[in-house]
Amino acid sequence: MIATLGSDARARALAKDFPILAQATSRGKRLAFLDSAASSQKPQAVIDSLVHYYTHDNANIHRGVYELAARATEHFEAARAKVAHFINAAEPAEIIWTRNVTEAINLVSYSWGLGNLKPGDAILTSQLEHHSNLVPWQLLAAKTGAELRFIEVDEHGIHQLDDLDERLRGVKLVALSHVSNTLGTIAPLETIIPKAHAAGAVVLIDGAQSAPHMKIDVRALDADFFGVSGHKMCGPTGIGFLYGKRALLEAMPPFLTGGDMIKRVQFTTTTFNEIPWKFEAGTSNIADAIALGAAVDYLEAVGMDWIHAHEQAMTAYALERMRELEPLGLTLYGPPNPADRSGIVSFNLGDAHPHDVASILDTEGVCIRAGHHCTMPLMEKMGWTATARASFYLYNVEEDVEQLIAALRKAAQIFKLG
Amino acid sequence: MEDFYKEYILDHYRNPRNFGHLERADAAAEDLNPLCGDKIRFELEIEDGRVKDVRFSGKGCAISQASASMLSESIKGEKLEDVVRMSREAVLENVGIGISPARMKCALLGLKVLKSAALGEIAGWPD
Ligand SMILES: Cc1ncc(COP(=O)(O)O)c(C=O)c1O
């Protein structure tokens, strides 16, 4: 019955790179960290990068002429180049540093959206979206008079594309998450993006749940904008980025304004800097950008294809083991075929509320997320109050699943289920 | 924390007391726990400045529902001014299990909503 994971030995070795995972909980339990979709843990190499920067290189960038400032600038721009290579952008200038994907999406909403949408136009998104890829479009629609439309999903969270051509009529912007943070659904972008372009729309992809877990090639996808949060891909909090095609970025007005994003300022007028700096007003998050570069080095050394394969194997295994708990009232959500999903498993256990389940799992050292996962409209559509969610990353091993199953059995026992 | 979920908590969760709606409510309020979207509504029938009858409704975790259910039992016949002054400690004592900081709002949502109903305006988180 036990499906031994071929990739488990490597994941076990990689877990040693993450010092936080070695600790026991205050109750003396082994830590089973199954909430990487919310924020991943950080390898020693990333922690070292932060310490190294502040110990050896710290200075403001693009300004000082002295050696420290030159070194800080060099590392900061090298990190941009690493990120560009990581997602196969044509050039580093197409990478704009932001705090996170939420800021990346807001940048596009304000800078591209306000100037390009008018009444009669439409924005197309899906019913799966995180609030970060929904609320900005609600506001943009309200401000410009554009209509907000949705690609529907079925009960498994799979995109329904039969009437896509019709829904694309008049659409100027398509904004979709690559992978759903609630159900793990991988969006069929290879079908949607060409059709969106044929309809004359610009396409923004929320890559928060894909870039950390699979090889991204923005040029093969032909995405116009692609946003990522560093903290979900082994990087620090407070740093993320927006990829945008050069021609689009050049035509867009700046988002935030002030220092660093200018070429020349006179009392009443300003000439803006070139991309990407035009969009980076004020002192950037230098140390964290450099550390995100270190995270990219780490992920590339591990191999994105290996990470994806390991997570799919973990997910298939977890789904198989969790099905054993169906007699206790466990319900699994999301695409039934593991190949259609990433390492995210949403579920409920009988009539126990997911918060209670998460609290009981916590006493057993198992960290999961419970709630609406910032997808309240999806919850409402599905008729779920909330779900519990386990998510996997490169450092998760079979033992984490064992611990999850045992803790779920305990929760079922406490709630007298089955 | 090991006996985190006592028998009576589950009983209140699965068989909440005073659950539903009043035919004629003199005061009512509802609110959400922003962390989890859990929702509670309290309805009060008031006579001579006292709670004559009470109903609550909503959806949420065992802690929030049991806390609201126990609260509804404890306020019948109480003066409105005492309900408004009810302390967070009284509620936590009533719930009677260790509540971690992460779950504190679950335990206190009922009291917040009840106070809002009694005050006729949104009450802050009880402290
Ligand atoms: C799909 C998706 N989009 C957007 C976000 C928002 O990410 P951040 O809070 O880092 O901006 C998340 C994070 O939970 C996410 O999973």
Side-chain angles (χ1 to χ4, degrees):
Chain A
M1 192 64 207
I2 307 277
T4 308
L5 295 164
S7 53
D8 201 59
R10 178 134 192 250
R12 200 171 297 278
L14 291 171
K16 296 205 169 71
D17 295 337
F18 294 76
I20 203 168
L21 297 176
Q23 70 185 295
T25 70
S26 64
R27 290 185 184 79
K29 304 283 182 181
R30 175 186 177 275
L31 193 68
F33 188 76
L34 297 175
D35 194 23
S36 297
S39 199
S40 79
Q41 296 303 347
K42 322 302 174 198
Q44 190 64 50
V46 169
I47 300 166
D48 288 347
S49 165
L50 289 167
V51 173
H52 183 93
Y53 173 77
Y54 286 120
T55 312
H56 300 285
D57 301 330
N58 178 55
N60 210 333
I61 49 169
H62 302 146
R63 289 169 214 192
V65 293
Y66 47 87
E67 189 180 317
L68 280 184
R71 208 155 59 217
T73 305
E74 190 186 317
H75 291 168
F76 179 75
E77 293 302 335
R80 194 192 305 275
K82 287 178 189 178
V83 163
H85 178 265
F86 183 65
I87 61 165
N88 198 31
E91 48 173 331
E94 293 180 323
I95 303 294
I96 297 160
W97 295 119
T98 61
R99 283 186 303 141
N100 46 42
V101 67
T102 301
E103 186 178 308
I105 293 168
N106 275 274
L107 191 160
V108 173
S109 173
Y110 279 87
S111 181
W112 184 88
L114 287 178
N116 285 284
L117 291 177
K118 55 181 190 318
D121 292 341
I123 303 165
L124 182 65
T125 179
S126 87
Q127 292 179 326
L128 282 176
E129 302 308 312
H130 189 282
H131 298 161
S132 289
N133 195 31
L134 173 60
V135 179
W137 311 127
Q138 291 176 345
L139 294 184
L140 181 63
K143 277 187 204 135
T144 59
E147 177 199 349
L148 186 56
R149 261 184 231 160
F150 296 87
I151 294 176
E152 296 195 4
V153 297
D154 68 6
E155 73 273 20
H156 301 299
I158 296 174
H159 302 73
Q160 302 300 295
L161 300 182
D162 289 350
D163 54 357
L164 182 61
D165 293 329
E166 207 166 300
R167 269 175 219 265
L168 276 168
R169 211 161 293 148
V171 168
K172 291 281 154 52
L173 174 72
V174 174
L176 292 175
S177 54
H178 198 169
V179 169
S180 156
N181 65 305
T182 302
L183 296 174
T185 316
I186 302 173
L189 297 183
E190 52 309 323
T191 307
I192 299 174
I193 293 180
K195 287 198 173 201
H197 283 153
V202 158
V203 179
L204 172 141
I205 301 302
D206 169 355
Q209 298 294 347
S210 63
H213 304 284
M214 57 182 79
K215 177 78 195 122
I216 301 296
D217 184 335
V218 288
R219 279 187 285 171
L221 278 175
D222 201 15
D224 299 297
F225 296 109
F226 195 96
V228 173
S229 280
H231 69 93
K232 294 184 200 279
M233 50 179 275
C234 296
T237 52
I239 190 74
F241 62 88
L242 172 71
Y243 158 83
K245 286 181 182 164
R246 171 178 275 275
L248 283 165
L249 293 176
E250 280 181 338
M252 283 155 59
F255 173 38
L256 302 175
T257 61
D260 232 26
M261 49 77 64
I262 49 87
K263 198 166 259 175
R264 178 173 188 210
V265 180
Q266 294 160 289
F267 277 113
T268 54
T269 59
T270 290
T271 313
F272 301 126
N273 205 335
E274 289 152 25
I275 64 164
W277 306 290
K278 177 171 86 174
F279 293 102
E280 294 175 359
T283 299
S284 290
N285 191 350
I286 306 163
D288 292 315
I290 294 169
L292 180 54
V296 164
D297 288 342
Y298 181 83
L299 291 173
E300 288 190 327
V302 174
M304 293 312 293
D305 289 337
W306 181 86
I307 293 173
H308 186 56
H310 173 63
E311 289 175 7
Q312 292 223 308
M314 283 293 296
T315 306
Y317 176 59
L319 289 172
E320 178 189 320
R321 294 298 311 274
M322 289 170 87
R323 281 196 195 100
E324 291 169 19
L325 304 181
E326 280 172 348
L328 299 178
L330 190 116
T331 309
L332 289 162
Y333 305 120
N337 181 357
D340 296 336
R341 58 197 288 167
S342 74
I344 289 173
V345 178
S346 257
F347 61 94
N348 262 314
L349 185 62
D351 71 344
H353 191 283
H355 275 171
D356 297 315
V357 174
S359 280
I360 295 168
L361 264 54
D362 178 49
T363 65
E364 296 295 309
V366 179
C367 313
I368 62 158
R369 179 84 185 270
H372 51 62
H373 315 294
C374 295
T375 55
M376 286 172 99
L378 176 67
M379 294 281 140
E380 199 176 313
K381 174 197 159 74
M382 297 294 198
W384 308 329
T385 315
T387 72
R389 179 189 75 183
S391 54
F392 303 106
Y393 207 10
L394 59 97
Y395 39 68
N396 287 117
V397 295
E398 237 178 75
E399 222 170 327
D400 294 319
V401 176
E402 299 308 329
Q403 213 171 318
L404 169 70
I405 298 296
L408 284 171
R409 284 192 189 280
K410 180 178 171 184
Q413 195 183 358
I414 289 174
F415 270 83
K416 301 184 181 18
L417 297 168
Chain B
M1 277 294 266
E2 273 315 306
D3 49 4
F4 193 46
Y5 288 89
K6 295 241 173 78
E7 195 84 22
Y8 62 86
I9 298 279
L10 290 182
D11 181 40
H12 276 277
Y13 177 53
R14 293 210 168 105
N15 310 294
R17 323 295 196 264
N18 303 306
F19 195 83
H21 299 279
L22 289 172
E23 219 150 81
R24 187 185 66 89
D26 298 301
E30 65 179 58
D31 207 349
L32 295 167
N33 180 346
L35 289 176
C36 53
D38 289 358
K39 191 159 91 179
I40 287 181
R41 177 180 173 84
F42 260 95
E43 299 174 7
L44 303 175
E45 189 182 335
I46 299 162
E47 201 173 86
D48 299 332
R50 288 179 186 268
V51 176
K52 184 158 179 246
D53 206 357
V54 54
R55 291 286 184 281
F56 86 98
S57 51
K59 266 186 177 168
C61 62
I63 292 175
S64 77
Q65 299 301 296
S67 169
S69 172
M70 287 188 259
L71 195 55
S72 75
E73 281 188 312
S74 72
I75 60 164
K76 269 192 206 171
E78 293 296 323
K79 283 194 200 138
L80 223 45
E81 58 198 72
D82 291 337
V83 168
V84 169
R85 274 202 299 266
M86 210 161 165
S87 73
R88 130 200 194 120
E89 283 67 35
V91 169
L92 294 180
E93 206 169 294
N94 223 349
V95 172
I97 57 171
I99 301 289
S100 69
R103 302 299 301 278
M104 197 52 80
K105 286 192 168 166
C106 306
L108 295 176
L109 180 62
L111 180 59
K112 180 180 192 288
V113 175
L114 173 63
K115 284 189 177 189
S116 302
L119 280 168
E121 58 182 91
I122 300 289
W125 285 100
D127 53 25

